[in-house]
Amino acid sequence: MLDTTPLRDACRDLLEAAATVAESGMRPVPPPDEWGAEQILAHVVIVNAVTLATVSDVAAGVDATYDNRAALYAWNLDRVIALSGGDAGLRERIRLQGEALCALAGSTLSDAELDTEVPTLLLSNGTVLVDQPMPLRVLLKGLAEVEIPGHTRQLLALLPDHALRTAETALSA
């Protein structure tokens, strides 16, 4: 079994950061070539959906792959934002996806399934980070420890310094 506590915590922290940004009443403008809050959330929604599909494929015993490119296309981020109904809908999707990932990965999959090598392609800013098979448990760990916390920090960085310090203090408490 996989301890899903880090994934639950990462999702909770991301959702708290997203709520902080939304409740700030500001529409923070991201730096050039960076995403705004809704684009960040849409990216996480797509990454979570890809991860859920991969986990489901492993559980079903079919060929599984992991490829994050769909989460990088601006047209797809915009599509997910529209289909979700904006910020609140994106946050609800992330909440539900986090619950589903924790339920599937934490109590459904065996250690053998979690150790399944999944052909993986991970890109960021046009750079290939990973292009090799990885165990499913490593993908899930990366989601919990790197991907989601990185986007939590990215959301908080959209806030002015004062609000950022307040939000970071609240999240660390």
Side-chain angles (χ1 to χ4, degrees):
M1 286 190 44
L2 181 73
D3 178 11
T4 59
T5 303
L7 182 57
R8 285 182 199 284
D9 291 347
C11 288
R12 182 199 64 236
D13 291 349
L14 177 89
L15 291 171
E16 288 176 5
T20 298
V21 171
E23 292 165 7
S24 73
M26 306 172 75
R27 299 278 292 163
V29 177
D33 298 324
E34 292 288 328
W35 289 332
E38 286 186 342
Q39 292 166 314
I40 294 166
L41 295 176
H43 171 80
V44 173
V45 164
I46 298 166
V47 166
N48 285 349
V50 169
T51 307
L52 278 163
T54 302
V55 169
S56 295
D57 286 349
V58 168
V62 299
D63 291 336
T65 61
Y66 191 90
D67 181 343
N68 76 334
R69 286 179 289 183
L72 303 174
Y73 301 130
W75 65 266
N76 202 26
L77 298 175
D78 292 342
R79 182 188 70 82
V80 168
I81 292 166
L83 292 172
S84 300
D87 182 81
L90 291 164
R91 286 188 279 147
E92 180 63 4
R93 280 190 182 200
I94 291 168
R95 184 186 70 76
L96 293 170
Q97 288 171 328
E99 289 175 6
L101 277 169
C102 289
L104 286 171
S107 58
T108 303
L109 298 181
S110 68
D111 281 333
E113 290 167 312
L114 290 166
D115 291 333
T116 299
E117 293 277 327
V118 176
T120 302
L121 179 62
L122 296 175
L123 285 83
S124 179
N125 293 322
T127 301
V128 175
L129 302 177
V130 176
D131 187 5
Q132 66 183 38
M134 297 182 70
L136 181 59
R137 82 171 63 243
V138 171
L139 289 171
L140 292 165
K141 183 178 179 179
L143 184 67
E145 295 178 3
V146 178
E147 179 75 11
I148 294 175
H151 292 304
T152 300
R153 289 187 298 276
Q154 190 179 16
L155 280 166
L156 293 173
L158 294 172
L159 295 171
D161 288 343
H162 177 270
L164 175 61
R165 283 192 299 276
T166 303
E168 285 177 338
T169 301
L171 286 174
S172 65

